[in-house]
C-alpha cells in the first residue's frame, strides 16, 4: 500500500520540483515572455485555447497510434521474414539499416510531393516509417536466436511452422518486442509531430505550435510543448501497461 | 517386431571444411517396451541419432523404422526430452506439460488434458507445483516436468538426449528412480543418450556403445538384471563387471589403450 503511494508521490514531486525550478529560472533572470514563458503563464494559454488543444491532441494521438499499428504489423512481417530465412536476412538487413540511417526530416518534402495535400496520410506514413525499424530488428533477432530445442519439442510432434511460431517463437520474443515498442512509440510520436510542425496547413498539436510561433504567442508554444510531453508520457505508459499484460509472466496465463 | 529399428544408417553434415561424416553404418534394434541406453565419446553423433529417430532429419543412407513404419518425418507418437528442460517461462508447469496435447489432441477437452497432466505430475512428485512458473522450480523439478511433457500424449517411443546430464549426483539418482516408476506405470519404448555408465546400466535393458566419430555400433551389452532394481544393485559384483566391460569399450571407442588404466 505505502509502496503504491510512494510510486505515485515520487514522480509527482519530481515534476513539481522541475516546474518550480523553471519558474525560478525565468524569475531570477527576469526573462520577458518573448524570451521564455514560465509555468505560471501556461494555465491562461490552456484555458484560452482549450478547444484547440483537445482537437490537436486527438489528431496527434490517433495518427501516432495508427502509424505505430502499421509499424507493428510491417515490423512483425519483416522480422518474421528475416528471422526465418537467412537469405532474407542477408538481403534485407543492409537495406533496412540504410533506410533507418536517412534523417527522416528529408522524407517530409518527399512525402509531401508524392501525396500532395494528403496531410493525414503523410503524417501516419511518417509515424510508420520512422518507427518500424526497432520492431523488425527485435522480432528477427528473437526468432533467429531461438534455441533449436525450443523448436524441436513441437516440431518432433509434426507441428506446423505457424503453430511453432504462435505457441513458442512469438511469446518467447514478446519481451524483446515490447522493449522495441517502447522505442518505437516515442519515434512514431516524433514522426507525427515532425510532419505537423513543418506542413504549412497541418493539424494536430504540432500545427498549434506553429501557429503560436507565427503569432509570437510564446506561452502557447510552451503550453504545446508541455502538452506534447504529457501525451508522450501517456503513450509510453500505455505500452508499458500492454507489456505487463502480455509479457508480464509473473501473472497466470489462463484459468 | 522391434519398436525402433535402425539399419545401416550413414550421415554426414556439410561444413565449411567439407563433409563431416558423423554416422557410419549404425545398427540398432529396440524391442517394444524395452529401454535402450546409448553411450559413446562426446561428439560422436549421439544427438544426431536422436534427431534421426525423431524424424527431425533424414539420414543420407540407411533406414529408420518406428513400430513397423519407415520414418519419413516427425510423428505424433514420439516424445522428446533434452538436457535443457526447455520449459516455456510464460506458462505454468501444468500448461507446459499440456503443450503436446494441444498439438496431438486438439479436440481433447481442457478438463481431460488437466487430468492427464495432473496424473503424471503426481507420479513424479510435482503435485502442488502445477501452478508454479518454471523459474520457481529447482533444476531437478524442472527436468521432472520436462519428462511429464515428453510422455503426456502417451508416445510409443520416448527419446531422451542426456536428460540428467546437468543435474547433481543425488538429484540424478532420484530421477533414475522416477524414470523407472514412470516406465512401470506407462508403457513406452525408450532411447536414452547418456554419458553416465552407471545410469545406462541402471535404466537400460540394453546398452549400446557407439564408436568415435563417425559412429557405428561398436558393442551391445544385454543388461541381465531383474526388472525391479533398487539403487544399491549398482554396488553388486554383477553390475561391477558390466561397468568394467563398458569402460573398456568406451576406451576403445575413444582410441585409448585398454590396458594400464583399470
Ligand atoms: N548441424 C550441424 N552441422 C554441422 N555439424 C554438426 C551439426 N550438428 C552436429 N554437428 C557435428 O557433428 C558431430 C556430432 O554431433 P552430435 O550428434 O551432436 O554429437 P554428440 O551428441 O554425440 O556429442 C559433432 O562433431 C558436431 O560438431
Ligand atoms: Mg549431444
Amino acid at each position: 500500500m505505502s509502496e503504491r503511494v510512494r510510486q505515485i508521490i515520487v514522480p509527482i514531486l519530481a515534476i513539481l520540483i522541475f516546474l518550480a525550478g523553471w519558474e525560478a529560472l525565468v524569475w531570477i533572470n527576469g526573462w520577458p515572455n518573448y524570451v521564455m514563458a514560465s509555468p505560471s503563464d501556461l494555465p491562461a494559454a490552456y484555458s484560452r485555447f482549450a478547444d484547440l488543444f483537445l482537437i490537436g491532441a486527438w489528431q496527434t494521438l490517433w495518427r501516432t497510434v495508427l502509424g505505430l499499428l502499421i509499424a507493428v504489423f510491417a515490423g512483425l512481417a519483416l522480422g518474421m521474414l528475416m528471422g526465418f530465412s537467412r537469405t532474407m536476412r542477408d538481403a534485407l538487413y543492409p537495406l533496412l539499416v540504410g533506410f533507418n540511417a536517412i534523417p527522416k526530416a528529408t522524407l517530409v518534402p518527399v512525402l509531401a510531393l508524392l501525396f500532395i495535400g494528403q496531410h493525414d496520410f503523410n503524417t501516419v506514413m511518417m509515424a510508420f516509417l520512422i518507427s518500424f525499424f526497432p520492431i523488425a530488428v527485435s522480432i528477427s533477432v528473437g526468432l533467429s536466436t531461438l534455441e533449436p530445442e525450443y523448436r524441436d519439442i513441437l516440431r518432433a510432434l509434426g507441428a506446423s511452422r505457424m503453430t511453432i511460431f504462435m505457441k513458442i517463437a512469438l511469446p518467447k520474443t514478446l519481451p524483446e518486442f515490447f522493449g522495441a515498442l517502447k522505442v518505437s512509440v516515442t519515434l512514431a510520436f516524433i514522426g507525427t509531430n515532425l510532419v505537423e510542425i513543418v506542413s504549412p496547413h497541418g493539424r494536430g498539436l504540432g500545427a498549434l505550435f506553429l501557429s503560436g510561433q507565427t503569432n509570437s504567442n510564446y506561452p502557447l508554444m510552451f503550453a504545446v510543448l508541455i502538452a506534447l510531453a504529457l501525451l508522450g508520457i501517456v503513450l509510453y505508459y500505455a505500452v508499458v501497461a500492454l507489456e505487463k499484460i502480455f509479457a508480464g509472466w509473473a501473472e497466470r496465463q489462463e484459468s | 517386431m522391434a519398436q525402433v529399428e535402425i539399419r545401416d544408417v550413414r550421415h554426414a553434415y556439410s561444413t565449411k571444411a567439407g563433409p563431416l561424416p558423423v554416422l557410419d553404418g549404425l545398427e540398432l534394434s529396440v524391442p517394444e517396451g524395452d529401454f535402450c541406453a546409448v553411450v559413446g565419446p562426446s561428439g560422436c553423433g549421439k544427438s544426431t541419432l536422436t534427431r534421426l529417430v525423431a524424424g527431425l532429419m533424414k539420414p543420407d543412407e540407411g533406414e529408420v523404422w518406428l513400430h513397423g513404419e519407415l520414418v519419413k518425418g516427425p510423428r505424433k507418437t514420439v516424445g522428446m526430452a533434452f538436457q535443457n528442460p526447455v520449459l516455456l517461462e510464460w506458462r505454468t508447469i501444468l500448461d507446459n506439460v499440456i503443450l503436446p496435447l494441444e498439438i496431438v489432441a486438439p479436440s481433447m477437452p481442457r478438463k481431460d488434458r488437466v487430468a492427464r497432466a495432473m496424473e503424471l505430475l503426481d507420479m513424479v512428485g510435482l503435485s502442488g507445483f502445477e501452478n508454479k512458473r518454471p523459474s520457481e522450480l529447482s533444476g531437478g523439478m524442472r527436468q521432472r516436468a520436462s519428462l511429464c511433457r515428453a510422455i503426456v500424449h502417451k508416445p510409443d517411443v520416448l527419446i531422451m538426449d542426456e536428460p540428467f546430464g546437468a543435474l547433481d549426483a543425488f538429484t540424478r539418482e532420484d530421477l533414475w528412480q522416477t524414470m523407472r516408476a514412470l516406465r512401470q506405470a506407462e508403457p513406452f519404448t525408450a532411447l536414452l543418450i547418456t554419458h553416465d555408465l552407471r545410469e545406462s546400466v541402471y535404466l537400460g535393458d540394453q546398452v549400446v556403445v557407439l564408436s568415435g566419430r563417425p559412429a557405428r555400433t561398436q558393442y551391445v551389452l544385454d543388461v541381465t538384471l531383474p526388472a525391479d532394481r533398487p539403487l544399491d544393485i549398482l554396488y553388486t559384483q554383477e553390475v561391477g563387471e558390466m561397468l568394467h566391460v563398458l569402460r573398456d569399450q568406451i576406451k576403445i571407442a575413444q582410441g585409448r589403450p585398454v590396458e594400464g588404466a583399470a
Side-chain angles (χ1 to χ4, degrees), chain A residues 51-250:
Chain A
D51 287 357
L52 293 181
F53 269 102
L54 282 179
I55 296 169
W58 166 244
Q59 281 163 343
T60 301
L61 183 68
W62 78 255
R63 295 190 294 196
T64 302
V65 171
L66 184 58
L68 186 65
L69 277 179
I70 300 173
V72 166
F73 283 108
L76 214 71
L78 274 170
M80 281 171 73
L81 270 179
M82 293 194 296
F84 284 134
S85 152
R86 264 200 62 179
T87 312
M88 279 303 195
R89 188 151 66 244
D90 294 345
L92 291 178
Y93 217 87
L95 271 175
L96 281 183
V97 171
F99 180 79
N100 192 49
I102 297 175
K104 294 301 173 295
T106 59
L107 290 184
V108 177
V110 176
L111 283 175
L113 286 175
L114 261 177
F115 310 102
I116 297 168
Q118 305 287 325
H119 179 57
D120 280 344
F121 179 86
N122 285 345
T123 315
V124 170
M125 192 72 181
M126 180 61 77
F128 152 61
L129 287 177
I130 203 172
S131 65
F132 76 91
F133 183 74
I135 299 174
V137 171
S138 75
I139 294 282
S140 90
V141 170
L143 293 183
S144 60
T145 56
L146 184 74
E147 297 93 324
E149 283 139 344
Y150 277 91
R151 208 164 296 156
D152 287 347
I153 49 175
L154 286 194
R155 211 158 75 83
L157 297 172
S160 68
R161 285 188 133 202
M162 200 58 202
T163 309
I164 296 172
F165 176 73
M166 292 306 289
K167 285 197 187 287
I168 298 196
L170 183 65
K172 199 161 165 47
T173 309
L174 274 185
E176 282 106 354
F177 167 77
F178 275 105
L181 196 61
K182 281 188 237 173
V183 177
S184 289
V185 70
T186 315
L187 289 175
F189 193 57
I190 292 172
T192 310
N193 285 306
L194 185 65
V195 178
E196 287 174 355
I197 289 175
V198 297
S199 301
H201 301 290
R203 283 187 285 268
L205 287 178
L208 195 57
F209 179 87
L210 193 63
S211 81
Q213 193 180 13
T214 36
N215 299 316
S216 303
N217 187 340
Y218 294 94
L220 175 59
M221 286 168 69
F222 278 100
V224 171
L225 290 188
I226 298 293
L228 281 175
L230 284 178
L231 201 55
I233 291 176
V234 168
L235 278 168
Y236 184 86
Y237 280 99
V239 173
V240 171
L242 287 176
E243 180 183 28
K244 274 232 168 72
I245 294 170
F246 292 109
W249 296 334

Side-chain angles (χ1 to χ4, degrees), chain B residues 163-212:
Chain B
F164 313 127
L167 304 175
D168 67 78
F170 299 119
T171 311
R172 200 182 297 178
E173 289 182 354
D174 283 348
L175 264 286
W176 293 351
Q177 285 169 300
T178 304
M179 191 71 234
R180 292 206 68 92
L182 281 178
R183 265 193 78 202
Q184 261 159 22
E186 308 257 329
F188 53 76
T189 308
L191 186 68
L192 170 82
I193 310 295
T194 176
H195 55 236
D196 183 335
L197 296 183
R198 291 163 73 236
E199 178 174 303
S200 72
V201 172
Y202 182 69
L203 291 176
D205 297 312
Q206 58 167 312
V207 180
V208 173
V209 181
L210 298 185
S211 70

